[in-house]
Amino acid sequence: MDTRSIVYQVLFAVLFAMGSVSFVWSQSEAESVIALSDVKTLEELAKVGEQLFEGKGECAQCHSLQGSPSEKGPSLAGVGAKLTREFLYESLVKPDAYVYLDFTKLPPVPYVTPMPPTLLAKGEILAVIAYLQQSSGQLVSIELSELK
Amino acid sequence: MEGAAMGKGRQFSLGCVVVFVALFSLIVGCTNKTDNDTSQSSSLVMQGKELFMNYCVHCHGPSGVGDGFNALYLDPRPRDLTDSIEVFMGDLSNDDIYGMILSRDIMDPEESERLLDEALENDTELPFLVPPAMPTFKYTLSDAERWTLVAYLRTLHKNDAPQVDIPATVSTTRPIVSGRKVPSWDMAEEEKITLVERGKALFSDKYNCVGCHMIAGYGGKVGPDLSQSGRRLASDWTYQWISNPQAISSDTKMPNLGLSENEAKAITLYLGTLVSPSTS
């Protein structure tokens, strides 16, 4: 065997190892995504809610839970403690029924981008509410039986 | 003899030089000191201005003439603090502004409770508990911060104003009352009805919350319309917020008005009854 083929073999082995590691890694990440239908505890429900908040629900595009100010939408820090569950639900499906203003502006004005009604289904909305309640230090007020 | 005279002359001129140098350094020292003083007082004014822009501008307007966007909804309206037409601020002492206006004591909760209940029971007109529409800042800002506001207000009017000397021992900590325990909301229907009525009166006649919040189309616009509070807000949260808004959001424009526990409970119950459809 000449040195050149040894170099190629080593290179191949290294690349193969890297590829398989990243494949396994991405699989394991995919595994940690819980499906709503598999949810067994309120903890898991809130976890699903978090994934929907960041991903499919697109909430995180305009809101944050850390209270950092944004021109796009009000901070959602503590809303799970502040707002009733019924009103949170309404805010997602009929966001223009009550428009919260930016009270740092004089006079207060609506945020620049009006919020569109959510595309999430009922069970998914409840999961997001569970996430908001949990991250506000509240007990989750949703029953798993409501997801059916 | 001559030598001694010469020595005296030298001593004299040396003395002159020493005195001159001393005087000179005294003068330099003094001018330096006044420099320090003005830059210190201008930083106090800047600090006062920053507070004014967060807590006062919505009612008093950016220059203090009383043209804040919210002035329209107030009765009485804020007056012209620049004294452009008649002298008002020019006649007040610094202690008046600091004490009577910015650190105003609102009536003792027990006293106002007694007056309110009397009026509600006898069905007589509600007593006008606290006439001025101006909120107190005693429970929101530190003593030092309220003094910087006095210093800033003094720059807004042209009439002679006394120099603002902030007391050396003034406290710089904010009077935060943190973490009030939420009361139980279980009670007999009758007790609830009384508390709701009391809460309504406290809201508009004692604390003038209505100066900043609209309910059913009447009131100010600094904060959210509260017409739908009962549907939107969780009672525990409302109680915590109105007891101490700064504990939830440190720079909020809503002042802590110093509500007693009973008063916060009554106002929370009153807000809980507001469920009218969209008026925002």
Side-chain angles (χ1 to χ4, degrees):
Chain A
M1 249 199 271
D2 61 350
T3 28
R4 209 203 265 166
S5 70
I6 291 179
V7 167
Y8 277 128
Q9 278 177 15
V10 169
L11 202 66
F12 173 80
V14 166
L15 282 178
F16 182 79
M18 278 165 64
S20 36
V21 163
S22 74
F23 178 75
V24 170
W25 197 355
S26 70
Q27 281 302 94
S28 70
E29 218 162 61
E31 261 165 30
S32 81
V33 174
I34 310 165
L36 197 56
S37 50
D38 294 340
V39 163
K40 301 221 171 39
T41 64
L42 293 177
E43 290 287 305
E44 284 173 355
L45 183 65
K47 187 83 201 140
V48 172
E50 178 175 4
Q51 286 156 4
L52 291 165
F53 186 93
E54 304 290 338
K56 183 177 169 196
E58 299 184 345
C59 317
Q61 290 194 10
C62 295
H63 298 286
S64 106
L65 293 190
Q66 272 69 53
S68 54
S70 141
E71 288 286 302
K72 284 181 165 176
S75 155
L76 297 185
V79 283
K82 172 181 180 176
L83 300 173
T84 60
R85 187 192 139 164
E86 293 71 27
F87 182 71
L88 284 171
Y89 195 94
E90 181 195 280
S91 302
L92 281 156
V93 291
K94 275 193 289 175
D96 54 355
Y98 180 97
V99 177
Y100 197 76
L101 307 178
D102 181 352
F103 291 98
T104 62
K105 299 281 192 313
L106 303 174
V109 286
Y111 286 88
V112 270
T113 32
M115 171 164 153
T118 185
L119 299 173
L120 299 178
K122 180 180 165 224
E124 294 173 318
I125 297 175
L126 293 180
V128 171
I129 294 175
Y131 170 56
L132 294 176
Q133 290 180 330
Q134 193 199 53
S135 43
S136 305
Q138 291 295 107
L139 292 177
V140 173
S141 73
I142 289 158
E143 314 264 339
L144 291 178
S145 58
E146 293 175 73
L147 299 174
K148 302 282 133 58
Chain B
M1 276 302 279
E2 264 210 347
M6 271 293 279
K8 278 228 171 97
R10 244 189 235 140
Q11 268 175 11
F12 179 73
S13 52
L14 198 74
C16 279
V17 169
V18 168
V19 168
F20 182 77
V21 168
L23 272 177
F24 182 77
S25 55
L26 191 72
I27 290 167
V28 169
C30 280
T31 40
N32 263 351
K33 186 153 180 291
T34 32
D35 264 10
N36 266 345
D37 270 4
T38 43
S39 72
Q40 190 194 359
S41 74
S42 77
S43 92
L44 290 176
V45 167
M46 286 310 294
Q47 213 188 324
K49 180 176 183 178
E50 213 171 281
L51 292 169
F52 188 88
M53 292 306 164
N54 192 40
Y55 295 104
C56 326
V57 70
H58 28 276
C59 294
H60 288 283
S63 59
V65 294
D67 60 352
F69 77 87
N70 194 53
L72 214 59
Y73 309 101
L74 296 172
D75 181 21
R77 299 245 181 120
R79 69 177 90 219
D80 178 0
L81 301 180
T82 69
D83 283 6
S84 61
I85 296 165
E86 53 184 273
V87 180
F88 172 74
M89 293 299 279
D91 286 343
L92 293 176
S93 73
N94 291 331
D95 285 336
D96 286 342
I97 302 177
Y98 174 81
M100 278 167 21
I101 302 171
L102 297 179
S103 322
R104 190 162 57 91
D105 263 317
I106 303 187
M107 186 186 289
D108 175 60
E110 280 179 25
E111 176 66 4
S112 62
E113 203 169 287
R114 196 180 59 74
L115 289 175
L116 277 180
D117 287 354
E118 221 171 72
L120 292 171
E121 228 161 81
N122 307 331
D123 212 14
T124 50
E125 212 166 293
L126 284 174
F128 200 25
L129 294 175
V130 175
M134 162 79 193
T136 183
F137 285 87
K138 182 179 173 179
Y139 307 99
T140 308
L141 301 176
S142 72
D143 298 358
E145 286 177 314
R146 273 173 277 138
W147 274 114
T148 67
L149 277 166
V150 177
Y152 179 64
L153 290 171
R154 285 308 191 193
T155 66
L156 297 179
H157 65 95
K158 57 180 192 289
N159 290 292
D160 282 350
Q163 159 102 24
V164 179
D165 289 317
I166 301 188
T169 54
V170 84
S171 159
T172 55
T173 45
R174 289 188 173 188
I176 300 272
V177 218
S178 56
R180 235 185 215 177
K181 200 165 153 273
V182 176
S184 154
W185 304 109
D186 281 338
M187 65 191 80
E189 196 55 25
E190 240 166 75
E191 186 189 352
K192 188 174 170 188
I193 291 170
T194 318
L195 284 177
V196 166
E197 267 188 88
R198 206 192 271 165
K200 180 176 182 181
L202 291 168
F203 186 90
S204 37
D205 294 326
K206 183 172 180 188
Y207 289 107
N208 202 48
C209 312
V210 78
C212 289
H213 292 285
M214 199 163 268
I215 289 180
Y218 177 76
K221 290 195 170 181
V222 183
D225 187 317
L226 297 179
S227 309
Q228 304 185 50
S229 306
R231 197 170 74 76
R232 296 181 54 238
L233 305 173
S235 303
D236 287 0
W237 183 90
T238 303
Y239 180 86
Q240 300 275 17
W241 172 264
I242 67 179
S243 295
N244 187 2
Q246 281 66 34
I248 295 180
S249 170
S250 58
D251 288 327
T252 177
K253 296 177 194 307
M254 172 155 158
N256 180 340
L257 294 168
L259 311 186
S260 73
E261 290 179 14
N262 278 343
E263 290 175 330
K265 187 173 176 181
I267 294 178
T268 302
L269 285 169
Y270 162 60
L271 293 177
T273 64
L274 305 176
V275 289
S276 85
S278 183
T279 43
S280 62

